[in-house]
Amino acid sequence: MKHLTILVPDAQVSLNTFTCIIGAYDIFKRANEFWKENGKEQLFKIQLAGVSEKTEINNGLLTLKPETNISSIKETDLVIIPAISHDFNQPEKGNIQLIDWIEKQYKNGAEVASMCSGALILASTRLLDGKSCSIHWNTADKLKRLFPKVIVKTDRLITDEHGIYTNGGGYSFLNLILYLIEKYYDRETAIYCSKIYQIEIDRQRQSEFTIFKGQKAHGDDIIEKAQVYIEENFQEKISMEELSQKLAVGRRNFDRRFIKATGNTPVEYLQRVKIESAKKAFETTRKNINEVMFEVGYADEKAFREIFKKITGMSPLEYKKKYNKKAMSEY
């Protein structure tokens, strides 16, 4: 029998932490039961493990008690790290012990999976250095700032690299659980669990859920002025050459600083601002594709469709159908 450790952080917890722990425990337990019903032995012994006797949120509104201390688990096959609070800047209290234990278990052959902001705990082990990592789009900038060696994949729902798994955010941790169940059990069990818990199987991207907010906590005043200018004038034709001159910065240096500060080239940043405005128009108005396209500053329908799909993973019409049922009912 394999061993699954679901970690219970000692500090820096949120309601999402509890949700991830309970969801993972429940679904893996059901997968075990499905195997037993079909004449197989349960695959995993599942344990909640931490370093404290209990973890609380909201002054004891909810309390979770680990079954065992991590010190009693000498060997495990799979470690799951739940989401943590988004105000994380460095590990606190007993989470430092968790980090050391995770690193040791991985080096001993265990695989490790993080859910949403749990990637911040995983990245603290340095096991993610040079590896791909998915995280909630709203926490991606923090991950990039705190751990610049991690390759952040904001469009990917799940990453799988060298026995390390990560996933996007919110309740997409359920998709990661199904992914792990298919990998460890089989496809049949994953489909069964997806039907029991009504989780959409085989989701690959989180792009359509992203709300683009330009990273401005970088300390480069010139680039922040450029961002503000782009955001206020994106409907117009913006020349990056002229913008760099306006800010008294050479074009090559402007591009270099812009990428360093925001993670995007100036042109990519402009595209993302335009598409974010288009998304809001599709969600909230009855405007058709061409009206929105012209409104955000595109004249070429093919280019607009290609860039929209590249950023969101969906065509403009698909996006409008999904997020504005009322407008589509009038077609």
Side-chain angles (χ1 to χ4, degrees), residues 9-250:
D10 172 71
Q12 301 168 297
V13 296
S14 68
L15 185 59
N16 253 4
T17 309
F18 282 42
T19 304
C20 290
I21 292 170
I22 294 166
Y25 187 90
D26 187 27
I27 299 173
F28 270 98
K29 184 171 175 288
R30 181 61 69 97
N32 272 344
E33 291 170 356
F34 181 71
W35 264 36
K36 288 168 70 177
E37 290 166 4
N38 285 275
K40 302 175 185 178
E41 294 185 5
Q42 70 175 50
L43 184 62
F44 276 112
K45 177 182 179 181
I46 308 166
Q47 283 192 298
L48 304 186
V51 296
S52 301
E53 290 186 1
K54 63 180 180 179
T55 294
E56 296 180 343
I57 59 169
N58 292 17
N59 297 317
L61 176 65
L62 292 174
T63 302
L64 194 59
K65 297 181 179 180
E67 299 171 84
T68 188
N69 192 287
I70 55 170
S71 62
S72 69
I73 301 176
K74 304 303 179 185
E75 187 176 332
T76 190
D77 295 284
L78 176 61
V79 178
I80 290 181
I81 307 167
I84 58 171
S85 59
H86 289 255
D87 59 1
F88 175 98
N89 283 301
Q90 61 183 12
E92 296 176 3
K93 298 183 180 178
N95 288 346
I96 297 170
Q97 297 173 53
L98 291 182
I99 288 165
D100 293 339
W101 184 85
I102 293 165
E103 184 180 9
K104 180 180 177 182
Q105 291 298 325
Y106 180 74
K107 289 179 178 177
N108 286 341
E111 295 195 322
V112 183
S114 71
M115 297 171 167
C116 187
S117 51
L120 296 166
I121 291 286
L122 179 55
S124 299
T125 67
R126 301 299 170 181
L127 294 175
L128 277 175
D129 286 0
K131 297 184 181 69
S132 298
C133 174
S134 179
I135 195 170
H136 195 287
W137 53 264
N138 206 28
T139 314
D141 287 337
K142 173 170 282 192
L143 179 62
K144 291 175 184 177
R145 176 171 54 82
L146 294 177
F147 305 101
K149 293 183 180 180
V150 176
I151 304 168
V152 182
K153 300 286 188 179
T154 52
D155 64 326
R156 296 273 293 281
L157 193 71
I158 294 169
T159 64
D160 174 349
E161 195 170 342
H162 301 295
I164 294 178
Y165 310 89
T166 67
N167 88 281
Y171 284 80
S172 70
F173 76 87
L174 296 169
N175 299 98
L176 175 61
I177 294 172
L178 290 185
Y179 183 87
L180 293 171
I181 285 173
E182 179 170 357
K183 192 151 191 174
Y184 277 93
Y185 293 79
D186 52 31
R187 178 71 174 178
E188 182 184 7
T189 307
I191 291 173
Y192 170 78
C193 289
S194 77
K195 290 181 177 180
I196 290 293
Y197 293 94
Q198 299 187 26
I199 307 166
E200 184 180 347
I201 199 166
D202 295 332
R203 276 186 54 212
Q204 299 295 325
R205 297 171 63 92
Q206 60 172 329
S207 307
E208 66 179 275
F209 302 108
T210 301
I211 300 173
F212 181 66
K213 296 179 180 177
Q215 154 72 322
K216 294 189 176 73
H218 45 67
D220 190 327
D221 292 341
I222 294 295
I223 298 306
E224 185 172 348
K225 288 178 181 177
Q227 290 174 268
V228 171
Y229 181 86
I230 290 170
E231 290 165 8
E232 292 179 350
N233 299 277
F234 68 88
Q235 299 98 331
E236 310 299 326
K237 187 173 182 180
I238 297 177
S239 164
M240 295 305 167
E241 188 71 40
E242 292 177 4
L243 179 56
S244 63
Q245 289 176 5
K246 185 191 295 281
L247 296 169
V249 182

Side-chain angles (χ1 to χ4, degrees), residues 282 286-295 301 304-305 315-318 320 328 331:
F282 288 139
R286 294 182 173 86
K287 295 174 182 176
N288 62 35
I289 306 299
N290 283 343
E291 286 174 322
V292 172
M293 176 186 76
F294 289 124
E295 187 177 83
E301 184 177 344
F304 174 65
R305 291 177 187 277
S315 72
L317 186 57
E318 288 170 337
K320 188 174 181 69
M328 292 308 299
Y331 273 67

Side-chain angles (χ1 to χ4, degrees), residues 234-279:
F234 68 88
Q235 299 98 331
E236 310 299 326
K237 187 173 182 180
I238 297 177
S239 164
M240 295 305 167
E241 188 71 40
E242 292 177 4
L243 179 56
S244 63
Q245 289 176 5
K246 185 191 295 281
L247 296 169
V249 182
R251 178 61 196 275
R252 289 181 64 183
N253 189 33
F254 176 69
D255 286 359
R256 180 186 61 78
R257 286 170 62 175
F258 205 103
I259 294 168
K260 182 180 179 182
T262 70
N264 297 115
T265 67
V267 172
E268 287 170 343
Y269 194 89
L270 174 60
Q271 289 174 342
R272 293 185 69 92
V273 171
K274 286 176 180 287
I275 297 306
E276 188 61 29
S277 180
K279 285 163 57 182

